[in-house]
Amino acid sequence: MRSTLFSMLASLNPRSLAPRQTQQTPDLTALLKSNSNLSEFATLLTSYGDIYANLSFQQDITILAPSNAAFQKIPYSSLGAAFEANNSDIVRSVLQYHVLEGIHAAGSFNGSFTFIPTWLNNQTYTNTTGGQVVAAVQQAGNVNVFVTGLGSRSTLTTPDLAFTGGLVQVVDTFLVPPVDYIQTVPQFNLTALGGATTNASLNRYLDTTPDITIFAPNNNAFQELGSTLSTMSASDLMSLLDYHVVNGSNFVGYSANLPNGTILQSLQGGNLSISFADNSIFVNSARVIQEDLLIANGVLHVIDNVLDYNATGVKPNPVIPTQVAIVPGSSLSGNVVPYTSDLPSTLTSFATTSPTGAAASSSFGVSDIGNSAAASSTISGAAASTTDGGASTTSKKKSAGDKIESQGSLLGGAIGIVIWAIGFL
């Protein structure tokens, strides 16, 4: 019996007697080290050690990590000037914008936009409650895309790399933090609206008020009413424009927050009605033709009509592609687009050169990003209280908290380097 037992034990593979090993989830340092496609991101991240150290101890976050190929696009993108100048404040804000609150696996996205808060909450660069958002959507072929400032797009290329703090999603292009209202409108050919709000001294209000939603008539809508708008008094113009703005007070009207039947109160005081028909969103009788353009302090939706607070009961006609003008008027001679000449001449030029020599489709006004933090906490009530005639392009004054963050970054950088070094031991 004893010999038989020894014989059976001898026949066993010694490895089968060892404890079963389980594959451990790597920490962030190990994950970056094991993915050569993220080597440039790892280098950049560790150079901002305060952010890296913080990431290393977090739980339930998602990092949108630009691939090495994404870094090759920087000189031809809107971020090129900031990276070339080593503008640490802006680069830090860009890195913070790539960190999402919560775990967001590739399979969690669908054909409807999801708006995910990020770590970017410094009021020098954003003024939305809970942090600036990234818009995520799944397109045909299960391709996940992240849409950010000025309509820039980043595609998910390598999904769901798990680390101890959450997930890393590799993207092919850097995300661009949204910029001010007045820097955004020219990029989408909304020059008439930008000129009109300049004429009405609304730009500072629209650039600095937190959690704002703007329904922006396109140039064609303004052009059709040229005869009326050209003779409109300043107070009437202000009331008309105010009717297109919603100051949400901790509410931003992203499309996901506007279900059918939503009623919003405008800055003018009248109500705006949201409805759905023929696979389109309508505000009163105007069709939303481009939704969810992120700005530093909220969101902008492009509409095909100028809204009239005296005609709130007019219903849309979903059958026709462009809604009939509600405000009475006609085009000016020569089809002049009103107010375009009033657009501030000091706006940053956003045209950059792509590798093929073509003009880039979007850009990032590095000298004008964000908005005034000081004004955001004091401006309230009607837009008539503002006096600014255009957008300010001067640098924003930092708060005391920003100075503390800057001073702390030196210590954080040292800690981050130590953490990185330990990970390689």
Side-chain angles (χ1 to χ4, degrees):
M1 175 70 73
R2 180 176 298 178
S3 61
T4 303
L5 179 59
F6 278 117
S7 166
M8 292 175 61
L9 291 173
S11 66
L12 291 175
N13 186 334
R15 292 182 180 179
S16 67
L17 299 177
R20 179 172 296 180
Q21 299 293 322
T22 58
Q23 185 175 4
Q24 292 185 342
T25 302
D27 62 15
L28 182 59
T29 298
L31 177 65
L32 294 177
K33 177 184 175 183
S34 65
N35 285 269
S36 59
N37 191 35
L38 297 177
S39 60
E40 297 220 29
F41 177 65
T43 300
L44 176 64
L45 191 58
T46 53
S47 68
Y48 288 82
D50 54 326
I51 296 177
Y52 176 66
N54 199 2
L55 286 173
S56 299
F57 295 106
Q58 291 294 320
Q59 294 292 322
D60 297 333
I61 59 173
T62 300
I63 302 173
L64 303 182
S67 65
N68 288 353
F71 279 78
Q72 301 305 311
K73 300 177 183 178
I74 291 177
Y76 312 103
S77 79
S78 55
L79 299 175
F83 276 79
E84 176 68 21
N86 194 25
N87 189 321
S88 60
D89 285 346
I90 292 177
V91 175
R92 179 175 281 105
S93 74
V94 171
L95 285 173
Q96 290 168 337
Y97 193 48
H98 284 72
V99 183
L100 310 183
E101 298 282 0
I103 302 292
H104 301 280
S108 66
F109 305 122
N110 55 43
S112 299
F113 276 107
T114 301
F115 299 90
I116 307 170
T118 71
W119 275 17
L120 180 56
N121 53 27
N122 184 337
Q123 287 191 3
T124 303
Y125 303 108
T126 188
N127 204 355
T128 54
T129 300
Q132 185 56 263
V133 302
V134 166
V137 65
Q138 188 174 91
Q139 298 186 332
N142 294 327
V143 176
N144 290 323
V145 175
F146 302 96
V147 183
T148 54
L150 298 171
S152 56
R153 301 161 68 85
S154 303
T155 300
L156 175 58
T157 56
T158 305
D160 299 341
L161 302 179
F163 72 104
T164 51
L167 290 176
V168 168
Q169 307 286 9
V170 182
V171 294
D172 67 348
T173 307
F174 269 81
L175 280 62
V176 177
V179 297
D180 292 345
Y181 153 81
I182 197 58
Q183 297 289 348
T184 299
V185 288
Q187 309 310 308
F188 296 95
N189 200 31
L190 301 171
T191 52
L193 176 64
T197 56
T198 302
N199 187 292
S201 300
L202 287 174
N203 288 343
R204 183 176 295 279
Y205 182 88
L206 296 177
D207 280 345
T208 61
T209 301
D211 299 332
I212 204 165
T213 303
I214 302 170
F215 295 100
N218 62 8
N219 277 5
N220 289 338
F222 275 92
Q223 183 178 338
E224 290 183 4
L225 307 179
S227 63
T228 298
L229 296 173
S230 63
T231 60
M232 187 172 287
S233 69
S235 60
D236 286 344
L237 175 61
M238 182 173 291
S239 294
L240 181 71
L241 295 172
D242 284 353
Y243 189 56
H244 294 74
V245 178
V246 177
N247 181 1
S249 299
N250 301 325
F251 169 85
V252 179
Y254 306 116
S255 59
N257 295 338
L258 300 176
N260 188 39
T262 297
I263 303 295
L264 302 171
Q265 184 177 29
S266 73
L267 189 61
Q268 181 271 339
N271 288 338
L272 299 167
S273 301
I274 305 298
S275 60
F276 284 76
D278 196 30
N279 202 32
S280 293
I281 303 174
F282 291 87
V283 51
N284 290 2
S285 63
R287 187 191 299 267
V288 176
I289 56 178
Q290 191 167 10
E291 61 194 57
D292 296 316
L293 302 180
L294 302 179
I295 57 177
N297 56 329
V299 70
L300 185 151
H301 305 289
V302 182
I303 58 178
D304 68 354
N305 215 333
V306 176
L307 303 172
D308 185 356
Y309 53 83
N310 290 317
T312 58
V314 178
K315 302 298 182 183
N317 183 354
V319 176
I320 59 177
T322 301
Q323 299 300 294
V324 177
I326 301 303
V327 178
S330 60
S331 299
L332 294 171
S333 176
N335 290 325
V336 174
V337 179
Y339 299 119
T340 295
S341 61
D342 292 323
L343 197 67
S345 60
T346 56
L347 290 180
T348 302
S349 173
F350 288 91
T352 57
T353 304
S354 71
T356 59
S361 60
S362 65
S363 189
F364 184 60
V366 294
S367 64
D368 299 292
I369 72 173
N371 43 46
S372 169
S376 68
S377 62
T378 59
I379 295 179
S380 62
S385 62
T386 63
T387 57
D388 180 37
S392 171
T393 58
T394 59
S395 299
K396 310 303 187 296
K397 183 177 181 180
K398 291 185 180 182
S399 66
D402 295 324
K403 294 179 181 178
I404 292 172
E405 178 188 34
S406 178
Q407 293 168 357
S409 66
L410 296 176
L411 177 59
I415 295 173
I417 293 172
V418 171
I419 294 172
W420 180 260
I422 291 174
F424 278 83
L425 295 180

